[in-house]
Amino acid sequence: MTTAPSETTQHETFLRETLALARESLKQGSSPIGALLVDKNGQIVARGRNRTGEPQTAERVGDASVAHAEMDVFFQAGKLENPQELTLYSSLEPCLMCGGASALLEVGRIVWATADPWGGAGRLLAWSNHPAMQEIEIVPCPFPELETEGASLFAPEAKKAFPDKGWALWRKKYPAETEGI
């Protein structure tokens, strides 16, 4: 599917915001990942960021393995009305949990800035091969400069969090962004 110019501008704007949320996560001691849920009119329904390194509060799921940016967005949004008309934007390709949640919630589209060659759901299964995910439009890494920015931001976390095999995949996919880490 070809992206219309207005959609292209919208994708870029929202992906830049996910990267800003990712930087905020890093400042707060969590993994640098940000996410947005946006309706068909371009209105932000919810903003989220990774909170795995932060304490849990009455308002936020934190300090837990499920405190991913995408899950933060879904918890904030609550029951989704017309989920097929929503787009999930993420600074990093969603993991299997977040991709699965997107499919179960019937989100219409997922757009991410940076591929995750180790932890992304696409490494484990082709997004379009899973019956629950076949209805989701997938738009991976539409802007090379934002992909580079996201990869540079997440690379130190990838080295710390992933096993040697995962880090090797990151170094192969993003050699410049992982150089010297």
Side-chain angles (χ1 to χ4, degrees), residues 86-168:
L86 299 174
T87 300
L88 174 67
Y89 288 92
S90 183
S91 61
L92 188 68
E93 177 185 359
C95 70
L96 193 56
M97 174 182 68
C98 297
S102 299
L104 290 172
L105 294 170
E106 300 178 344
V107 170
R109 178 171 37 191
I110 302 173
V111 183
W112 62 80
T114 304
D116 184 347
W118 176 257
R123 182 180 77 84
L124 303 171
L125 58 96
W127 285 86
S128 62
N129 285 349
H130 191 285
M133 295 180 180
Q134 289 176 351
E135 299 299 316
I136 300 174
E137 178 187 355
I138 301 296
V139 183
C141 313
F143 303 99
E145 69 280 2
L146 297 183
E147 181 176 12
T148 296
E149 182 180 339
S152 296
L153 188 61
F154 192 77
E157 179 71 18
K159 182 176 184 184
K160 180 174 68 173
F162 297 153
D164 291 340
K165 184 177 176 184
W167 180 236

Side-chain angles (χ1 to χ4, degrees), residues 9-158:
T9 302
Q10 188 173 6
H11 289 338
E12 183 174 8
T13 298
F14 292 133
L15 288 174
R16 286 189 186 285
E17 185 160 346
T18 68
L19 291 165
L21 288 163
R23 287 189 290 279
E24 176 62 26
S25 268
L26 191 58
K27 287 179 189 172
Q28 298 299 323
S30 291
S31 297
I33 305 167
L36 297 172
L37 194 59
V38 178
D39 71 15
K40 69 179 180 177
N41 300 314
Q43 298 300 308
I44 296 173
V45 174
R47 287 175 173 80
R49 58 182 182 75
N50 190 288
R51 295 175 183 277
T52 57
E54 300 170 43
Q56 187 162 326
T57 68
E59 296 81 29
R60 300 277 186 197
V61 172
D63 198 27
S65 298
V66 297
H68 290 193
E70 300 88 347
M71 298 306 287
D72 188 29
V73 161
F74 293 143
F75 289 133
Q76 286 181 62
K79 184 165 177 56
L80 301 177
E81 299 296 324
N82 303 312
Q84 304 84 359
E85 297 176 353
L86 299 174
T87 300
L88 174 67
Y89 288 92
S90 183
S91 61
L92 188 68
E93 177 185 359
C95 70
L96 193 56
M97 174 182 68
C98 297
S102 299
L104 290 172
L105 294 170
E106 300 178 344
V107 170
R109 178 171 37 191
I110 302 173
V111 183
W112 62 80
T114 304
D116 184 347
W118 176 257
R123 182 180 77 84
L124 303 171
L125 58 96
W127 285 86
S128 62
N129 285 349
H130 191 285
M133 295 180 180
Q134 289 176 351
E135 299 299 316
I136 300 174
E137 178 187 355
I138 301 296
V139 183
C141 313
F143 303 99
E145 69 280 2
L146 297 183
E147 181 176 12
T148 296
E149 182 180 339
S152 296
L153 188 61
F154 192 77
E157 179 71 18

Side-chain angles (χ1 to χ4, degrees), residues 159-181:
K159 182 176 184 184
K160 180 174 68 173
F162 297 153
D164 291 340
K165 184 177 176 184
W167 180 236
L169 288 173
W170 262 82
R171 293 200 64 198
K172 182 178 179 183
K173 173 77 176 164
Y174 296 114
E177 294 83 354
T178 57
E179 184 71 33
I181 295 176

